[in-house]
Structures are given as structure tokens and as C-alpha cells.
Amino acid sequence: MNKFNRILLASGLAATASLMVNSPAFADTTGKVNLSGTIPSNLSLTVTATSEASAMIFVPGNNTYDLKIANITGAATNSSSGLKVSVLSSWRLTSTSTTEYIVITGFGESTSTSSSIATANRKRIQDNNLQSNVPFDLAITNTNVAGAAPDSSLYISYNAPNITAGIYSGSITFTATDK
């Protein structure tokens, strides 16, 4: 084999090796699939007003303590951290015919729907600086390991001053969220 043939053979082998290295059969390949999903919140809360809440009796000059206004039942979540329930109110009952109002002086909870008085988280509105329309969290709605909170009752206290006759109304808003 002469020198020219050897050079030609070496060049051919180098070209073949170059084609093999760049061939798709020898290329690096990768693939990636991104996965994601959502577990929706399974949050529930039922607040049922008592008949006393919509038929309050105001006797001018008298204080009323622990008027049961609502029951909370069915508070549950699938969050492993539990749930919280916040309440929001102006803490007053107003009339559309006058600028006078009746102040809610206290708010309390009980760990049962059959209780007749507040036994937990009793707050005097003025002493605890509960501000108008600033939410605060209820104490007894923390869930247990099963994700359900105990049923509870809610109470208010108020003073009925000597004010103009009329219909006075107000509200308390309850919001359940996952912790």
C-alpha cells in the first residue's frame, strides 16, 4: 500500500468516525415532564342565629349578659394546620331613624351548643380594645386531628340606654379560613 492510499484510508476512517459521533444514534437525549396539581380546600362552617338574636328585648337602663345569638356547627377543614374563624362587627346596633345606638359590651363563646352562658374567650369589648370592623379570631374553633372543630355557641352582652324608640340592628360577620 502506497503512501497516497494510506492517507486516503486514514482520511476516510476519520470522516466515518466524525459522522458516527454526530449521528443521532449517538447523541445525548433528555426529556422532562413537569407535574403539578391542586388539592382544593374542603372548608365548611355553619352559623345559625338563635331566635333571640332577631328579637332582642331592650329595656332602657338594663344590662343584658350572655344573650345567646348563634350556634356554630360543622366547622371542618382538610388543612393539616386546622382552621380559624374570625368575627367582624361594628359592635353596635343602630337605627335608621336616629344617630343613637346600643353598644355591644361583651362577646363570648361556649364549647357546646347547649350551654346557656359563655365559658370561653369572654371579651369585654371596651376592655379588650375590640375595634369597630377589625376582625379577631374565635378561640374554640381550632380543629382537632380529624379536621373538625367542636360545635359552639356565641353570646353578646349589651347595655340598653335611654334612647329614642325604634328598631335597632347590627350584625357580626363570621369568616372561616384554613390556618
Side-chain angles (χ1 to χ4, degrees):
M1 194 185 261
N2 66 25
K3 189 174 184 179
F4 177 73
N5 286 343
R6 279 190 246 168
I7 292 175
L8 188 58
L9 178 61
S11 297
L13 287 173
T16 303
S18 171
L19 286 173
M20 288 176 60
V21 169
N22 291 327
S23 166
F26 293 100
D28 287 337
T29 58
T30 60
K32 179 179 173 182
V33 174
N34 294 320
L35 305 172
S36 68
T38 301
I39 296 176
S41 174
N42 185 16
L43 191 61
S44 64
L45 174 74
T46 301
V47 179
T48 306
T50 63
S51 59
E52 293 86 356
S54 60
M56 296 172 70
I57 298 170
F58 303 116
V59 177
N62 284 359
N63 296 329
T64 299
Y65 298 100
D66 287 339
L67 175 69
K68 187 174 181 178
I69 59 164
N71 292 317
I72 293 179
T73 57
T77 183
N78 60 340
S79 170
S80 60
S81 299
L83 68 88
K84 70 176 181 177
V85 176
S86 299
V87 294
L88 179 73
S89 180
S90 66
W91 304 112
R92 60 179 61 187
L93 306 169
T94 59
S95 172
T96 56
S97 61
T98 180
T99 58
E100 298 171 308
Y101 52 87
I102 298 169
V103 175
I104 297 172
T105 59
F107 183 83
E109 305 172 57
S110 177
T111 57
S112 164
T113 57
S114 62
S115 179
S116 60
I117 62 168
T119 57
N121 200 27
R122 188 184 297 254
K123 296 189 179 292
R124 284 192 44 79
I125 304 301
Q126 298 88 348
D127 295 345
N128 288 285
N129 196 25
L130 294 179
Q131 299 173 25
S132 177
N133 297 314
V134 175
F136 77 92
D137 300 337
L138 297 180
I140 59 176
T141 55
N142 295 324
T143 57
N144 60 25
V145 178
D151 291 345
S152 58
S153 300
L154 304 170
Y155 303 84
I156 62 169
S157 299
Y158 58 88
N159 296 331
N162 290 311
I163 57 177
T164 305
I167 297 173
Y168 289 80
S169 61
S171 65
I172 300 173
T173 302
F174 298 82
T175 305
T177 57
D178 290 327
K179 284 188 188 175

